[in-house]
Amino acid sequence: MKPQLVWGNPLWDSKACTSLVRVSIQTRGSAASPYVISAHNLTKKYGDFTAVDNISFDIPAGESFGLLGPNGAGKSTTMRMIGGVSQRSGGTLSIMGLDPEKYGPEVRSHLGVVPQQDNLDEELKVRDNLIVYGRYFGLPLSYLKPKADELLEFAQLSEKAGAKVDDLSGGMKRRLTIARSLVNDPKILLLDEPTTGLDPQARHILWDRLFRLKEAGTTLVLTTHYMDEAEQLCDRIVVVDKGRIMAEGSPAALIRQYSTREVLEVRFGSERNATVAAELAGIGERTETLPDRVLIYTDDGERALEEVAARGLSPLTSLIRRSSLEDVFLRLTGRSLID
Amino acid sequence: MSTVQSQGSDTAVGRGAVRPLAGLYSGNARAVISRGLMATKSSNWLVMLSGFFEPVLFLLSMGIGLGALVGTVTGPDGSPISYAAYIAPALLATSAMNGAVYDSTWNVFFKMNFAKLYQGMLYTSLGPLDVALGEIFLALLRGLLYATGFTAVMGLMGLVTTPWALLMIPVSVVIAFGFASFGMAITSFMKTFQQMDWINFVMLPMFLFSATFYPLSVYPEPIQWLIQAMPLWHGVELLRQLSVGAVGLGMLGHLAYYLVMIVLGLVLTTARLRKLFLR
Ligand SMILES: Nc1ncnc2c1ncn2[C@@H]1O[C@H](COP(=O)(O)OP(=O)(O)OP(=O)(O)O)[C@@H](O)[C@H]1O
Ligand SMILES: [Mg+2]
């Protein structure tokens, strides 16, 4: 069976699935503002520690919005505040015109949430996980039973319908969590590192799925450590570090603004990289020394490589590539995205 | 933009739910209850059964074993009853307390911090109050089953002599309700498993000294006052009087104690819900 066919099955596009939920969302959520999510000076403190420090952003309906940042940047904390399950310490937050802290249940009826850590109900079978979760939204069983089967097929877990959650592999649990988040046909999908733990094939299938949801008008908010994922899925990205926004823009704009056109990667062996880096000064616009390689930022990689050779340096390997978000990230946070 | 937004949310308030608990409650505790029932199907039956057998084993060993040494004692209405008949209602009250406290403290604490069950629930339309009410209801349902079973055992052992004794079943649920709502409020103050141990530290002496195995009159007066201030004693008295049909107006006082406990517990739990569930 070709997974593409399964996941590509236009489940959400079919009119049959445009259920009660969707209708009620549209009548309720038609706030005057063009933004479905607005955060202003959002702050979260844990004791003396500030996890999210005064950040502001507005997300229009239908946008695919990415939060990028190293470990501990405050991405998950921000997501939890949007869902109204973590109390903010300051600032304002409005989800479809409502404060999630005051109207948690109502706000969350519009949300689908994939938390960073799976929190499936270990005491229930796979299919029951979907049905019971739908019951939490007050959805009727007559709607949920076919919906659960549909979602199981989407997640390629139909054969596991009667299995215990504990018996699923890590990636399968992840897929079930993602399927679960769609049970209420959410208007906004919060995805906290959705593809962590998925194999490459499952990742691509999920991207395709998310892309379709986006086309159907769903607003996506996601965090990720995968650059390709961010570039593929996000219309707009904010880079956060230590709870603050470092930069904001489309992937292409960020690359243009914070990096050069090309990058030359040279490796001299882990012992020598740092010492050689000094001798490379002046080549290209900027160099960045990583433990395993030196990055030279330049608009012309070939010429930079010639200059390296002209200085009598012969790297073990060299590679010229286009700049990516990874480079933006490195520039802004001084850290590699995948620690 | 931000001001427009916040005004927008004010209109949304008018449009949306104006209930005071809109942020905490969606009127769907039902879903939590049906989840609990579904989970029971696959859960550990041994644990369930042990909750039922514990008081029965106490009754057999102490009632029959110790009872053989003790003989008869003076019952609540002044007439002599067997030792087993004397302690049985006290064991029932204790088991109502233990079950309710376990469900509202350890169980809630575990599901929140380890199984992350509530974390998933709270990402849906459910509010923390739905979760709390659902869990309390489940605890009471379990208490009802245990109380019914235990009363049946008492009947089989010939310890039930009046139809009044059947009222022990609903009254056990009232006792459980008091402990469950209070227990959940207490859980909201707990941060670690070590702190949870304090709960046992209070419960065990309460079990042993609340006139469970011998009358209150053996204590000096100040101790008597102390025990009468504790919740379990009122449950023991209530059930013991019902078990022999020694019904009196004094029982209303004991019931009032639980009523206050239930209301206080629920108010405190609701006030602490954000602390409990939305950290
Ligand atoms: N419950 C908590 N109590 C105290 N500190 C917390 C709590 N939750 C998060 N933090 C702290 O807040 C900061 C941000 O955490 P958060 O989980 O939002 O990071 P993140 O950006 O999602 O990181 P990652 O990429 O590792 O998932 C971290 O320094 C973390 O230690
Ligand atoms: Mg995170």
Side-chain angles (χ1 to χ4, degrees), chain A residues 68-114:
Chain A
L68 251 62
N71 291 141
K75 306 180 295 293
S76 300
T77 306
T78 306
M79 294 288 235
R80 280 204 300 276
M81 286 192 283
I82 294 176
V85 296
S86 177
Q87 290 188 276
R88 58 180 183 267
S89 319
T92 61
L93 191 56
S94 152
I95 315 297
M96 307 194 79
L98 294 172
D99 179 342
E101 227 162 81
K102 286 204 196 104
Y103 297 93
E106 200 176 346
V107 164
R108 287 189 297 270
S109 71
H110 304 173
L111 298 184
V113 180
V114 177

Side-chain angles (χ1 to χ4, degrees), chain A residues 186-205:
Chain A
K187 201 77 186 126
I188 302 172
L189 204 48
L190 304 179
L191 303 145
D192 199 348
E193 301 185 24
T195 59
T196 301
L198 294 188
D199 63 35
Q201 190 190 29
R203 274 176 79 203
H204 281 280
I205 294 164

Side-chain angles (χ1 to χ4, degrees), chain A residues 28 33 97 103 108 121 123, chain B residues 5 9 15 35 42 122 124:
Chain A
R28 284 205 145 214
S33 160
Y103 297 93
R108 287 189 297 270
D121 196 328
E123 290 176 275
Chain B
Q5 271 300 94
S9 70
R15 202 188 58 224
R35 182 263 159 207
S42 66
L122 292 171
T124 69

Side-chain angles (χ1 to χ4, degrees), chain A residues 42-195:
Chain A
L42 192 59
T43 301
K44 176 73 185 183
K45 292 192 171 132
Y46 292 108
D48 289 340
F49 178 76
T50 307
V52 174
D53 195 357
N54 226 1
I55 69 173
S56 303
F57 54 83
D58 292 299
I59 306 176
E63 189 179 58
S64 172
F65 181 83
L67 283 165
L68 251 62
N71 291 141
K75 306 180 295 293
S76 300
T77 306
T78 306
M79 294 288 235
R80 280 204 300 276
M81 286 192 283
I82 294 176
V85 296
S86 177
Q87 290 188 276
R88 58 180 183 267
S89 319
T92 61
L93 191 56
S94 152
I95 315 297
M96 307 194 79
L98 294 172
D99 179 342
E101 227 162 81
K102 286 204 196 104
Y103 297 93
E106 200 176 346
V107 164
R108 287 189 297 270
S109 71
H110 304 173
L111 298 184
V113 180
V114 177
Q116 183 169 359
Q117 279 170 339
D118 295 324
N119 52 11
L120 295 163
D121 196 328
E122 307 265 343
E123 290 176 275
L124 301 180
K125 304 262 166 66
V126 168
R127 182 166 179 268
D128 291 342
N129 253 277
L130 298 175
I131 291 180
V132 166
Y133 202 73
R135 299 289 285 166
Y136 298 158
F137 286 101
L139 298 167
L141 277 178
S142 56
Y143 162 82
L144 286 171
K145 283 183 174 167
K147 185 76 182 177
D149 294 329
E150 203 178 281
L151 288 169
L152 283 175
E153 197 160 316
F154 159 63
Q156 291 181 278
L157 290 170
S158 299
E159 282 107 79
K160 299 277 182 185
K164 282 197 212 159
V165 167
D166 242 356
D167 295 341
L168 298 183
S169 76
M172 288 175 179
K173 283 186 190 166
R174 199 68 188 145
R175 293 196 323 239
L176 183 60
T177 305
I178 293 166
R180 192 184 66 171
S181 74
L182 297 171
V183 77
N184 60 329
D185 280 334
K187 201 77 186 126
I188 302 172
L189 204 48
L190 304 179
L191 303 145
D192 199 348
E193 301 185 24
T195 59

Side-chain angles (χ1 to χ4, degrees), chain A residues 19 219 269 292 301:
Chain A
S19 61
T219 307
D292 62 332

Side-chain angles (χ1 to χ4, degrees), chain B residues 134-219:
Chain B
E135 289 288 1
I136 288 178
F137 182 89
L138 285 166
L140 298 189
L141 190 64
R142 192 131 80 103
L144 176 69
L145 288 179
Y146 287 169
T148 310
F150 189 81
T151 309
V153 170
M154 281 176 69
L156 287 176
M157 289 174 66
L159 302 178
V160 172
T161 50
T162 157
W164 284 107
L166 284 179
L167 279 180
M168 291 195 303
I169 297 172
V171 170
S172 293
V173 175
V174 172
I175 295 171
F177 198 177
F179 280 103
S181 70
F182 213 74
M184 202 168 279
I186 287 173
T187 308
S188 72
F189 291 94
M190 300 290 165
K191 296 212 164 54
T192 63
F193 260 119
Q194 280 76 9
Q195 294 175 334
M196 299 296 288
D197 275 331
W198 298 346
I199 295 171
N200 284 2
F201 194 72
V202 176
M203 299 236 309
L204 187 64
M206 198 145 71
F207 163 52
L208 291 174
F209 299 118
S210 290
T212 344
F213 297 110
Y214 41 82
L216 196 62
S217 53
V218 303
Y219 298 117

